[in-house]
Amino acid sequence: MACRVQHSIQSSFWFLSSTPLRNSLNPRRIFFKNRISFGKELFFSSSSRTALYCTCGSSSSSGGDKDGFLTNGVGGDDSFVLTTPLYYVNAPPHMGSAYTTIAADAIARFQRLLEKKVIFITGTDEHGEKIATAAAANGSSPNEHCDVVSQAYKSLWKDLDISYDKFIRTTDPKHEAVVKEFYSRVLANGDIYRADYEGLYCVNCEEYKDEKDLLDDNCCPTHLKPCVKRKEDNYFFALSKYQQQLEEVLKQNPGFVQPSYRLNEVQGWIKNGLKDFSISRASVDWGIAVPNDSKQTIYVWFDALLGYVSALLEDSELASLDTAISSGWPASLHLIGKDILRFHAVYWPAMLMSAGIGLPKMVFGHGFLTKDGMKMGKSLGNTLEPTDLVQRFGPDAVRYFFLREVEFGNDGDYSEERFIRMINANLANTIGNLLNRTLGLLKKNCQSTLAVDSDVAAEGNKFKAAVEKLVEKARVHYQNLELSAACETVLEIGNAGNLYIDGQAPWTLFKQGGTAFETAAKDLVIVLEAMRIISIALSPITPGLSLKIYSQLGYTEEQFNAVSWSDTKWGGLKAGQVMAQATPIFARIEDGTEAETKSAATKKVKEEKTSKSKSPVEA
């Protein structure tokens, strides 16, 4: 059976934190005994392998632009399927998982603005030894533990305005059915065999480790805990069989793994030789039973990766692999953290090839997050809790900072001082203050009513051309997953608006009357049209703030929800349109020093008033 390959983009993210989502698998040296093969021969020569047809050798066929990033979604121009990782529920969500999901949400919202049929998938990975251990430590059953932590993810996503379409849990019965069917298909293809597995095992990583990769006393370099010596009778997936095909995929589709420096990592792994890996555990009860051996459970990674497929099923649909595939596979984009790149860019494609299923279009591996230049960890007392950030600063501020501050793909750092400075400068001052003072002038001089159409107001005006150029630039950045650059470009429109209104000084023109008054009225329409465009262009990043802007321009929430990227075209505001009352859309954040200064000043004023109010006798 021919296996059709397309650009693959996968998204699972991981931040530097004390408890990683998952760690890249470095296959341990395996000692095979009593190998049992199923079906076909385990290894094939290149001449006997099944054919591999690649449909994405050029940008026109893959939906990629000249930089290898996405322009088209699954099945053509009208659909787009993207995923976050399925987050491991051994602990509540942290800022790492929040960051990936915020980024995925911004991409999903942009694709919806392009009027794509978007399926945004997220969820939780709920099987494995580490889950059972965490549940036992809390005095609960694995099911109870998973219910609580999974709900914590859903609650956080709600707080962060995450607009996901599918939330899959790997304990869902329909997911289990898809995993078992997939396993059986790979088994029938001759790619699963049985052998002994002996080595040093890290429970937290849920993987065997090479001794050369360990620290003193056989400690895991990630968790700094000793690995346990284990010997198990497991089932293995014949990854080595697919080495040549994977090399060909990457050669024909350099955009399959992004950014490009991640591609170099993947090519290096494959070039060094691929080893078969264990896909079952004999000592773990909490998981999906192997279809042909009820005494073993399917290894969590072989299980969890299928969540990207099973999530496509509707609740009312029969849980079958083919039904799930026909509902939207292959994915357009997988967002992941760089630490789980090997699973998504090597293991997952080989698994799909074995099952005769098309590959996703792209795997994008982003970097880690630090705090104040240091790795985050509970032992250091510098963890970053996303729920706390949202409660203190609001979802738009959190979303904007991390997408603006961190160049997507690279490592990034959080500093509260930098957070407050950026949010105040960009959202409160540049954007918020521009809208507030323009609406104030409009109310004072024009009864909050637009004098002319924005197209008419901007005739022959260079400002309009500048805005149009910046909007197109922002679209390209969004298209190429350059989220930080997209934020910066939209902010440039706000900066240009402030420069324009300061240069035109409409408050002075209004006082002069006559044609000067008319010019000033047009200037306000021009600036407000720029604000309308900003609200749409920034909505993937700050949906709540954008809605506030749009509402103050006289539109309803329903009208805001119906906008598309085409509405960023100049000319939306019309003569006679009545603007809402000017209300600050984003309050400045006061840091500790500012708060103390303000408190002291307020106290001094109160004391002075009290002193003045006293009678001469009392004084």
Side-chain angles (χ1 to χ4, degrees), residues 254-268:
F256 180 80
V257 177
Q258 291 291 340
S260 58
Y261 43 86
R262 302 273 182 249
L263 173 64
N264 296 335
E265 293 179 48
V266 174
Q267 289 175 321

Side-chain angles (χ1 to χ4, degrees), residues 330-476:
S332 307
L333 172 65
H334 287 310
L335 287 183
I336 61 168
K338 63 182 180 181
D339 61 319
I340 52 176
L341 181 63
R342 188 191 300 265
F343 287 103
H344 290 83
V346 180
Y347 294 16
W348 179 227
M351 289 162 55
L352 291 169
M353 289 178 189
S354 176
I357 299 172
L359 304 194
K361 295 184 178 182
M362 186 188 293
V363 176
F364 190 101
H366 58 72
F368 292 157
L369 181 70
T370 56
K371 183 180 179 184
D372 299 318
M374 298 176 64
K375 177 180 177 179
M376 289 188 285
K378 291 182 179 178
S379 60
L380 298 174
N382 69 337
T383 55
L384 191 59
E385 298 298 333
T387 301
D388 177 60
L389 283 181
V390 174
Q391 289 176 345
R392 292 172 61 199
F393 304 119
D396 286 310
V398 175
R399 291 170 64 105
Y400 183 86
F401 174 79
F402 284 104
L403 297 183
R404 172 66 181 86
E405 173 70 9
V406 182
E407 184 177 344
F408 200 47
N410 294 340
D411 294 344
D413 184 69
Y414 172 84
S415 157
E416 185 158 309
E417 179 184 353
R418 193 162 60 251
F419 180 101
I420 293 173
R421 186 169 62 247
M422 175 182 289
I423 297 305
N424 284 342
N426 295 2
L427 301 187
N429 295 347
T430 299
I431 294 176
N433 188 51
L434 176 61
L435 176 65
N436 196 58
R437 63 174 175 156
T438 306
L439 287 177
L441 285 169
L442 188 73
K443 179 182 179 181
K444 180 179 179 180
N445 298 281
C446 305
Q447 294 75 51
S448 296
T449 304
L450 302 185
V452 294
D453 291 354
S454 53
D455 261 339
V456 174
E459 285 180 356
N461 195 309
K462 294 181 179 179
F463 179 75
K464 172 188 173 184
V467 171
E468 290 175 330
K469 184 176 180 180
L470 287 170
V471 168
E472 174 58 20
K473 185 179 177 182
R475 185 195 64 79
V476 173

Side-chain angles (χ1 to χ4, degrees), residues 46 49-50 97 136 153 172 211 213 296 375 405 420 478 517 525 587-588 602:
S46 58
R49 287 179 180 171
T50 54
S97 47
Y153 275 93
D172 190 320
E211 291 182 32
D213 296 326
Q296 301 229 10
K375 177 180 177 179
E405 173 70 9
I420 293 173
Y478 275 125
F517 188 98
V525 173
R588 280 181 53 84
T602 302

Side-chain angles (χ1 to χ4, degrees), residues 485-500:
C487 291
E488 184 178 359
T489 302
V490 177
L491 186 69
E492 285 184 52
I493 300 176
N495 288 328
N498 279 295
L499 288 174
Y500 180 82

Side-chain angles (χ1 to χ4, degrees), residues 5-7 54-69 71-72 249 251-256 361:
V5 180
Q6 301 183 8
H7 264 99
C54 177
T55 64
C56 51
S58 67
S59 60
S60 60
S61 61
S62 68
D65 62 11
K66 62 183 177 62
D67 297 314
F69 291 115
T71 54
N72 296 328
V249 166
K251 179 180 178 181
Q252 295 296 325
N253 307 282
F256 180 80
K361 295 184 178 182

Side-chain angles (χ1 to χ4, degrees), residues 137-416:
N138 293 328
S140 62
S141 69
N143 266 320
E144 292 170 337
H145 173 86
C146 291
D147 287 345
V148 170
V149 179
S150 181
Q151 184 57 47
Y153 275 93
K154 288 185 177 181
S155 297
L156 179 59
W157 295 169
K158 182 179 180 180
D159 291 342
L160 284 167
D161 280 343
I162 304 299
S163 60
Y164 62 85
D165 299 291
K166 303 280 189 176
F167 191 101
I168 184 66
R169 297 178 59 183
T170 59
T171 49
D172 190 320
K174 69 178 181 181
H175 172 74
E176 180 175 344
V178 167
V179 171
K180 287 186 172 181
E181 188 177 346
F182 182 90
Y183 182 98
S184 298
R185 188 179 293 191
V186 174
L187 175 65
N189 197 42
D191 292 338
I192 294 177
Y193 61 89
R194 191 170 184 169
D196 285 343
Y197 205 139
E198 183 176 10
L200 294 168
Y201 188 79
C202 174
V203 175
N204 286 315
C205 292
E206 302 222 42
E207 67 172 339
Y208 285 89
K209 298 287 188 178
D210 266 324
E211 291 182 32
K212 63 181 178 63
D213 296 326
L214 300 177
L215 305 176
D216 293 341
D217 299 322
N218 291 327
C219 284
C220 169
T222 301
H223 298 98
L224 305 179
K225 296 180 179 179
C227 293
V228 181
K229 190 171 184 180
R230 283 189 180 178
K231 180 179 180 180
E232 287 188 353
D233 177 20
N234 292 159
Y235 292 95
F236 289 79
F237 173 68
L239 178 66
S240 55
K241 169 183 171 181
Y242 292 93
Q243 176 157 342
Q244 182 176 332
Q245 291 177 330
L246 286 169
E247 289 175 346
E248 188 64 20
V249 166
L250 297 181
K251 179 180 178 181
Q252 295 296 325
N253 307 282
F256 180 80
V257 177
Q258 291 291 340
S260 58
Y261 43 86
R262 302 273 182 249
L263 173 64
N264 296 335
E265 293 179 48
V266 174
Q267 289 175 321
W269 292 333
I270 297 174
K271 184 178 180 180
N272 289 334
L274 298 179
K275 298 178 182 179
D276 300 347
F277 67 95
S278 169
I279 59 170
S280 75
R281 294 290 183 267
S283 60
V284 179
D285 294 328
W286 181 243
I288 298 174
V290 171
N292 59 305
D293 188 344
S294 60
K295 294 182 179 180
Q296 301 229 10
T297 55
I298 296 175
Y299 176 47
V300 288
W301 275 104
F302 201 87
D303 160 6
L305 289 165
L306 267 298
Y308 301 136
V309 178
S310 65
L312 294 167
L313 290 167
E314 298 294 338
D315 292 338
S316 59
E317 287 182 321
L318 179 67
S320 78
L321 182 58
D322 286 340
T323 302
I325 291 169
S326 66
S327 299
W329 191 260
S332 307
L333 172 65
H334 287 310
L335 287 183
I336 61 168
K338 63 182 180 181
D339 61 319
I340 52 176
L341 181 63
R342 188 191 300 265
F343 287 103
H344 290 83
V346 180
Y347 294 16
W348 179 227
M351 289 162 55
L352 291 169
M353 289 178 189
S354 176
I357 299 172
L359 304 194
K361 295 184 178 182
M362 186 188 293
V363 176
F364 190 101
H366 58 72
F368 292 157
L369 181 70
T370 56
K371 183 180 179 184
D372 299 318
M374 298 176 64
K375 177 180 177 179
M376 289 188 285
K378 291 182 179 178
S379 60
L380 298 174
N382 69 337
T383 55
L384 191 59
E385 298 298 333
T387 301
D388 177 60
L389 283 181
V390 174
Q391 289 176 345
R392 292 172 61 199
F393 304 119
D396 286 310
V398 175
R399 291 170 64 105
Y400 183 86
F401 174 79
F402 284 104
L403 297 183
R404 172 66 181 86
E405 173 70 9
V406 182
E407 184 177 344
F408 200 47
N410 294 340
D411 294 344
D413 184 69
Y414 172 84
S415 157
E416 185 158 309

